[in-house]
Amino acid sequence: MSVADFTNDQFRLDGKVAIVTGAGGRGNSIGRAYAVGLANAGASVVVADLNKEGAERVAAEINDAGGKAIAVQADIADETSVAAMMEATQAAFGGLDILVNNAALMVEAVGTPAIQTSIADFEKLMRVNLTGALISSKAAVPLFQARGGGKIVNQLSAGGFPAQTTYGISKVALLGLTTTLATELGRMNVNVNAIAPGMTMSDAGKALTPEESPFVQAAMARVVKQPRGEPQDLVGALLLLCSPAGDWITGQALNVDGGFIMRN
């Protein structure tokens, strides 16, 4: 076997350090699945969330299973808070290799038509869902440079294809940030990609789209394979984008949605 042959070890993250924002807020969440999945692949994980108790719960779960994790209370919309998150990461694990910009407002942003949304609410939404990802990415870059490169994965949504809510607008804008940062950071050996989940059976997802809702029933008839998935169904895509297996992938949005984007 030549040294160039692919092996499954290229999906391992041993010795890597990852931050997952929004990883502790809501029980069965995508953020929790991401944090646990990265830890199971060998990474040391910073479980970051505005909800301190939730972050501590997920970090304890990882540590109890033999992984390495710390909990950090962080507000991604606040530059001082994000700087403190980076300092805590450096102090605990000596650097940073992976940033997963998962934290977002969702349930709070769906339901009110855009034309009826107050400007204050819209600006708050964009501050978290878009500007927060930029604040965190900017703060991560010096740590990446100290390690020779890094990976950023932004959390999009099937709700942005096409955008039909202010939440969807924020996710389309985040796609633009993804391709822009991929262009700007590529020469620094930083890959920037995104995952766009479909309807996910997280606690938040079930609250937003309960099984009996007309939207879900319509999707059941239109989606080509599987209308709804579990948070764990997204972890494989995350590991591809964060690991050496994905070193040649940047500026991409990966739809993980059972074919939701192809609905007709």
Side-chain angles (χ1 to χ4, degrees):
M1 184 174 68
S2 113
V3 294
D5 286 334
F6 181 87
T7 72
N8 288 341
D9 288 343
Q10 289 178 253
F11 287 99
R12 293 293 304 173
L13 296 171
D14 303 286
K16 302 296 185 181
V17 178
I19 293 173
V20 183
T21 66
R26 297 182 177 98
N28 178 34
S29 69
I30 294 174
R32 176 206 161 271
Y34 282 168
V36 172
L38 292 169
N40 287 342
S44 299
V45 180
V46 176
V47 180
D49 204 286
L50 192 60
N51 181 334
K52 182 180 179 182
E53 292 75 19
E56 290 173 341
R57 182 179 63 251
V58 173
E61 179 183 355
I62 291 170
N63 290 323
D64 289 347
K68 296 180 180 179
I70 63 167
V72 174
Q73 185 176 29
D75 178 359
I76 62 165
D78 180 80
E79 291 179 82
T80 300
S81 181
V82 170
M85 176 177 72
M86 296 300 169
E87 290 170 5
T89 302
Q90 181 74 38
F93 298 127
L96 180 66
D97 304 284
I98 299 161
L99 171 65
V100 183
N101 286 315
N102 171 71
L105 297 176
M106 181 179 72
V107 175
E108 304 88 342
V110 177
T112 302
I115 202 67
Q116 297 174 13
T117 299
S118 73
I119 298 303
D121 285 346
F122 183 74
E123 289 177 341
K124 178 181 178 182
L125 173 70
M126 297 300 284
R127 180 73 184 181
V128 175
N129 291 12
L130 178 64
T131 309
L134 179 58
I135 291 171
S136 297
S137 298
K138 284 169 61 70
V141 166
L143 279 71
F144 288 157
Q145 289 180 300
R147 308 268 276 206
K151 304 286 179 67
I152 297 173
V153 179
N154 294 324
Q155 184 82 328
L156 304 183
S157 171
F161 302 98
Q164 295 177 322
T165 64
T166 55
Y167 173 72
I169 293 169
S170 74
K171 293 303 182 176
V172 172
L174 186 57
L175 174 59
L177 180 64
T178 300
T179 56
T180 297
L181 292 182
T183 301
E184 295 179 354
L185 301 179
R187 299 298 182 185
M188 300 180 192
N189 196 32
V190 176
N191 299 58
V192 187
N193 292 291
I195 294 173
M199 290 192 295
T200 307
M201 297 287 282
S202 62
D203 288 354
K206 287 187 289 186
L208 189 62
T209 55
E211 198 70 26
E212 65 278 6
S213 72
F215 179 78
V216 171
Q217 294 304 310
M220 293 289 185
R222 297 172 61 196
V223 174
V224 299
K225 186 176 185 293
Q226 180 181 335
R228 311 193 83 174
E230 295 291 337
Q232 292 77 10
D233 294 328
L234 299 161
V235 174
L238 180 71
L239 294 182
L240 170 63
L241 298 178
C242 290
S243 69
D247 280 351
W248 207 31
I249 304 171
T250 196
Q252 303 302 307
L254 182 56
N255 296 92
V256 185
D257 61 6
F260 184 86
I261 196 171
M262 297 194 299
R263 64 197 184 279
N264 53 36

